[in-house]
Amino acid sequence: MKTRDIVLLVVLSCGAAAGFFAAAAYLFIRRRRRKREEDEDGTSCAIRVEHAPDSGREKSRLNGFLSLKTPLISTKTLGAQLETTSTSSPQAKSPAGSSAGAAASASTAQGERTPTAHNKQLQNVKGQDHPAHPSMAFLQNRSISLVDMYIDNSEPSENVGQIHFSLEYDFQNTTLILRIIQGKELPAKDLSGTSDPYVRVTLLPDKKHRLETKIKRRTLNPRWNETFYFEGFPIQKLQSRVLHLHVFDYDRFSRDDSIGEVFLPLCQVDLSEKPSFWKALKPPAKDKCGELLTSLCYHPSNSVLTLTLLKARNLKAKDINGKSDPYVKVWLQFGDKRIEKRKTAVFKCTLNPVFNDAFSFNVPWEKIRECSLDVQVMDFDNIGRNELIGRILLAGKNGSGASETKHWQDMITKPRQTIVQWHRLKPE
């Protein structure tokens, strides 16, 4: 008996040791593979920060180089016409009537009289002999990418102020120059009726490396007058970058309060014109359920309604590891009656899934205004009930929001066209 016990103990110990080493090897290989994937498309650039002369600080340079990743999350190209609208003009839009806009117009006119090599270089990138409007030049014949995630024409849900900034591109040194000038009519976040605002700058999709302006104390109309240089960016690469300006209120003893933010896809900007912008800040999302990119298309000839679920971003984490296992469940409804259900595959451990899934439903033309699509983003659980992350109701009449209703109406008024739109998920 003793010999048998010893043999059994040795066998169990060897099995446990083998399992432990196998798990460790799996985790090591997975970590190396993830690191290799992250480093595959890396590109290096240097960033300099320059403050205005009246700030009393000389130009400073960050040590070393920042590794910025390539941003595109490629998805299937939509077969039908992609409906995308422009958001901004390259000229300044000042709240008070904009003398800066006149200056930008003058520089544009001068550039038309004497075309420079810089303008020709930009036109070559666009691939057009006669370039289209700057805000649309790079939005034609493209698949959905990270840039499309930040094209948003909706008005801010509340007034949280405006920010004034300008952009310039040094073609010779392949450097993007950003000047953050001032803010206006920011909301008060402190008990004193003022705020201590500063701006955090990132070039998405890179979120690790961010720059910040100086903090302006006790003001709702700050003047920063600071310049940031993003070096080593060819003009082609900038077309897949999104400028993110996030205004915060500094708090010494607690977490800084978010005031508002602006996303500007650089593919919408004609950098040869040195544009200046006044942009309304958008308040941060309060429900924080995330957003879903969908497309709708209706063909009256064969009565087919097609819903395409492209991707989601910033979904709410439902698991203890800070992630979710999302999938989407879709119900076709007539009134309150559910007719047909579809669902996507489950995507493990992610808050930004790319679904690329299309569902088609047979809906007669005379019924298209009466039906709706209940779209629910769920978190899959092996043990227990699946949880709702957020939902939207796409309908021509009682949609879950103004954007959902407008999306449905645009689909009806533009048959056989694919209408793409982001929607904020609503909690139950």
Side-chain angles (χ1 to χ4, degrees):
M1 292 293 293
K2 291 184 179 180
T3 305
R4 185 187 304 172
D5 291 343
I6 293 174
V7 171
L8 183 61
L9 182 61
V10 170
V11 170
L12 292 176
S13 301
C14 292
F20 173 78
F21 285 115
Y26 170 76
L27 293 176
F28 176 75
I29 294 172
R30 185 178 178 183
R31 183 178 178 184
R32 286 194 61 184
R33 183 183 302 170
R34 184 179 301 172
K35 186 176 181 181
R36 184 169 63 251
E37 289 176 355
E38 289 178 353
D39 295 339
E40 254 178 9
D41 296 325
T43 158
S44 59
C45 75
I47 298 182
R48 288 187 289 135
V49 185
E50 184 176 308
H51 301 276
D54 57 358
S55 65
R57 293 178 56 179
E58 296 181 355
K59 182 167 58 178
S60 61
R61 185 185 178 102
L62 299 181
N63 293 329
F65 289 86
L66 303 183
S67 177
L68 301 179
K69 312 298 179 189
T70 55
L72 289 183
I73 307 173
S74 59
T75 66
K76 298 178 183 177
T77 307
L78 297 174
Q81 178 181 354
L82 177 64
E83 167 114 347
T84 324
T85 54
S86 59
T87 56
S88 61
S89 166
Q91 297 181 1
K93 296 182 180 178
S94 169
S98 103
S99 60
S105 301
S107 65
T108 304
Q110 183 178 359
E112 291 174 355
R113 289 193 300 269
T114 57
T116 63
H118 298 164
N119 290 338
K120 291 181 179 179
Q121 182 179 351
L122 190 60
Q123 291 181 17
N124 291 335
V125 173
K126 295 176 182 179
Q128 301 174 355
D129 295 332
H130 303 284
H133 190 278
S135 63
M136 294 296 292
F138 295 97
L139 291 178
Q140 299 172 354
N141 301 323
R142 294 189 300 110
S143 60
I144 299 297
S145 68
L146 177 132
V147 171
D148 299 281
M149 298 170 64
Y150 298 99
I151 296 176
D152 188 359
N153 297 323
S154 61
E155 295 295 326
S157 57
E158 59 180 297
N159 181 23
V160 291
Q162 302 176 65
I163 187 169
H164 186 197
F165 62 97
S166 67
L167 289 169
E168 184 179 347
Y169 188 73
D170 184 342
F171 287 84
Q172 184 175 359
N173 298 313
T174 62
T175 299
L176 176 68
I177 304 171
L178 165 68
R179 294 184 178 88
I180 299 181
I181 303 169
Q182 61 179 320
K184 183 178 181 180
E185 299 174 353
L186 302 183
K189 293 290 185 178
D190 299 334
L191 296 177
S192 61
T194 61
S195 293
D196 301 321
Y198 68 93
V199 184
R200 181 176 295 166
V201 182
T202 49
L203 267 185
L204 298 173
D206 179 45
K207 296 181 180 180
K208 296 180 181 178
H209 306 103
R210 57 196 186 192
L211 303 172
E212 295 177 353
T213 66
K214 296 178 66 177
I215 300 168
K216 296 299 177 180
R217 302 284 183 175
R218 293 181 291 278
T219 178
L220 302 181
N221 299 283
R223 286 185 173 272
W224 290 288
N225 290 322
E226 296 188 36
T227 304
F228 300 90
Y229 295 83
F230 297 86
E231 298 179 344
F233 275 95
I235 188 68
Q236 295 90 343
K237 186 172 296 183
L238 283 178
Q239 307 315 312
S240 58
R241 300 284 172 168
V242 177
L243 177 65
H244 182 206
L245 304 180
H246 198 161
V247 181
F248 285 90
D249 168 56
Y250 172 77
D251 285 321
R252 177 174 296 180
F253 302 107
S254 63
R255 186 175 181 178
D256 296 349
D257 297 320
S258 173
I259 294 178
E261 59 188 350
V262 168
F263 293 96
L264 180 62
L266 294 180
C267 65
Q268 296 181 326
V269 181
D270 190 344
L271 295 172
S272 65
E273 297 184 356
K274 301 180 181 180
S276 178
F277 302 91
W278 274 100
K279 289 284 189 180
L281 296 170
K282 293 194 174 183
K286 294 180 180 179
D287 44 20
K288 297 181 180 178
C289 291
E291 295 172 279
L292 182 67
L293 181 63
T294 66
S295 74
L296 288 172
C297 182
Y298 184 71
H299 288 264
S301 58
N302 54 6
S303 301
V304 173
L305 167 64
T306 302
L307 167 69
T308 304
L309 303 169
L310 295 166
K311 62 178 73 172
R313 66 184 180 195
N314 303 326
L315 295 180
K316 187 174 183 179
K318 290 289 187 177
D319 299 335
I320 57 175
N321 60 359
K323 301 288 185 179
S324 291
D325 301 324
Y327 70 96
V328 182
K329 183 168 57 175
V330 181
W331 278 100
L332 172 66
Q333 301 180 158
F334 284 91
D336 294 331
K337 185 178 180 181
R338 290 179 170 180
I339 304 298
E340 190 174 353
K341 183 178 81 168
R342 305 287 182 83
K343 63 181 180 179
T344 69
V346 177
F347 290 77
K348 294 288 187 178
C349 297
T350 179
L351 301 180
N352 301 281
V354 179
F355 299 109
N356 279 337
D357 221 340
F359 302 126
S360 295
F361 304 92
N362 290 318
V363 180
W365 171 253
E366 59 272 13
K367 298 285 188 181
I368 192 65
R369 299 179 187 275
E370 302 174 15
C371 70
S372 61
L373 291 173
D374 184 12
V375 183
Q376 304 175 19
V377 180
M378 307 291 295
D379 171 55
F380 175 80
D381 284 324
N382 286 314
I383 303 174
R385 190 176 181 180
N386 297 341
E387 294 184 77
L388 177 71
I389 297 177
R391 71 195 305 171
I392 57 173
L393 182 66
L394 298 169
K397 296 179 181 177
N398 302 308
S400 55
S403 66
E404 289 81 4
T405 302
K406 183 179 182 301
H407 196 180
W408 193 273
Q409 292 172 348
D410 288 345
M411 173 196 70
I412 295 176
T413 57
K414 299 174 183 178
R416 295 176 296 276
Q417 292 188 26
T418 300
I419 314 298
V420 183
Q421 191 167 325
W422 278 101
H423 297 285
R424 291 190 185 277
L425 297 171
K426 277 79 174 174
E428 191 172 20

Coordinates of all heavy atoms in Angstrom, one line a residue, residues 16 28 35 38 89 101 108 169 174 233 251 270 295 339 393 415:
A16 N 0.6 17.6 -12.3 CA 0.3 19.0 -11.9 C 1.5 19.9 -12.4 O 1.2 21.0 -12.9 CB 0.2 19.1 -10.4
F28 N 3.1 32.7 -22.0 CA 4.3 33.4 -22.5 C 4.2 33.6 -24.0 O 4.5 34.7 -24.6 CB 5.5 32.6 -22.1 CG 6.8 33.1 -22.7 CD1 7.4 34.2 -22.1 CD2 7.4 32.5 -23.8 CE1 8.6 34.7 -22.6 CE2 8.6 33.0 -24.3 CZ 9.2 34.1 -23.7
K35 N 2.5 41.2 -28.3 CA 3.5 42.2 -28.4 C 4.0 42.4 -29.8 O 4.2 43.5 -30.3 CB 4.7 41.9 -27.4 CG 5.7 43.1 -27.3 CD 6.8 42.8 -26.3 CE 7.8 43.9 -26.2 NZ 8.8 43.6 -25.2
E38 N 1.5 44.2 -31.8 CA 1.4 45.6 -31.5 C 2.6 46.3 -32.2 O 2.5 47.5 -32.5 CB 1.4 45.8 -30.0 CG 0.1 45.4 -29.3 CD 0.2 45.6 -27.8 OE1 1.3 45.9 -27.3 OE2 -0.8 45.4 -27.2
S89 N -15.5 73.3 -42.0 CA -14.9 74.0 -43.1 C -13.5 74.3 -42.7 O -13.2 74.5 -41.5 CB -15.7 75.3 -43.3 OG -14.9 76.2 -44.1
G101 N -11.5 84.0 -40.0 CA -12.0 83.4 -41.2 C -11.7 84.2 -42.4 O -11.4 83.6 -43.5
T108 N -6.2 81.5 -48.7 CA -6.7 80.5 -49.7 C -6.7 81.1 -51.0 O -6.2 80.5 -52.0 CB -8.1 80.0 -49.3 OG1 -8.1 79.5 -48.0 CG2 -8.6 79.0 -50.3
Y169 N 0.8 72.5 -41.7 CA 1.7 71.4 -42.1 C 2.9 71.8 -42.8 O 2.9 72.6 -43.7 CB 0.9 70.4 -43.0 CG 1.7 69.1 -43.2 CD1 1.8 68.2 -42.2 CD2 2.4 68.8 -44.4 CE1 2.5 67.0 -42.4 CE2 3.1 67.7 -44.6 CZ 3.2 66.7 -43.6 OH 3.9 65.6 -43.7
T174 N 7.9 67.3 -42.9 CA 6.8 66.4 -42.5 C 6.4 66.5 -41.1 O 6.4 65.6 -40.3 CB 7.2 64.9 -42.8 OG1 8.4 64.6 -42.0 CG2 7.6 64.7 -44.3
F233 N 5.6 62.9 -39.7 CA 4.3 62.4 -40.2 C 4.1 62.7 -41.6 O 3.8 63.9 -42.0 CB 3.1 63.0 -39.4 CG 2.8 62.3 -38.1 CD1 3.3 62.7 -36.9 CD2 1.9 61.2 -38.1 CE1 3.0 62.0 -35.7 CE2 1.6 60.5 -37.0 CZ 2.2 60.9 -35.8
D251 N -8.3 69.5 -10.7 CA -8.6 69.4 -9.3 C -7.4 68.9 -8.5 O -6.9 67.8 -8.9 CB -9.8 68.6 -9.0 CG -11.1 69.3 -9.4 OD1 -11.2 70.5 -9.1 OD2 -12.0 68.6 -9.9
D270 N -7.9 70.4 -45.2 CA -6.9 70.7 -46.2 C -5.8 71.5 -45.5 O -5.9 72.7 -45.3 CB -7.6 71.6 -47.3 CG -6.7 71.8 -48.5 OD1 -5.5 71.5 -48.4 OD2 -7.2 72.2 -49.6
S295 N -25.6 50.2 -40.4 CA -26.0 50.7 -41.7 C -27.4 50.1 -42.0 O -27.7 48.9 -41.7 CB -25.0 50.4 -42.8 OG -25.1 49.0 -43.2
I339 N -41.3 39.5 -34.5 CA -41.6 38.6 -35.6 C -40.4 37.7 -35.8 O -40.6 36.5 -36.0 CB -41.9 39.4 -36.9 CG1 -43.0 40.4 -36.6 CG2 -42.1 38.5 -38.0 CD1 -44.3 39.7 -36.3
L393 N -33.4 51.3 -30.6 CA -34.6 51.0 -31.4 C -34.6 51.8 -32.6 O -34.8 53.0 -32.6 CB -35.9 51.2 -30.5 CG -37.2 50.8 -31.2 CD1 -37.2 49.3 -31.4 CD2 -38.4 51.2 -30.4
P415 N -34.0 55.0 -51.0 CA -34.0 53.6 -51.2 C -32.8 53.1 -52.1 O -32.2 53.9 -52.9 CB -35.3 53.3 -52.0 CG -35.6 54.7 -52.6 CD -35.1 55.7 -51.7

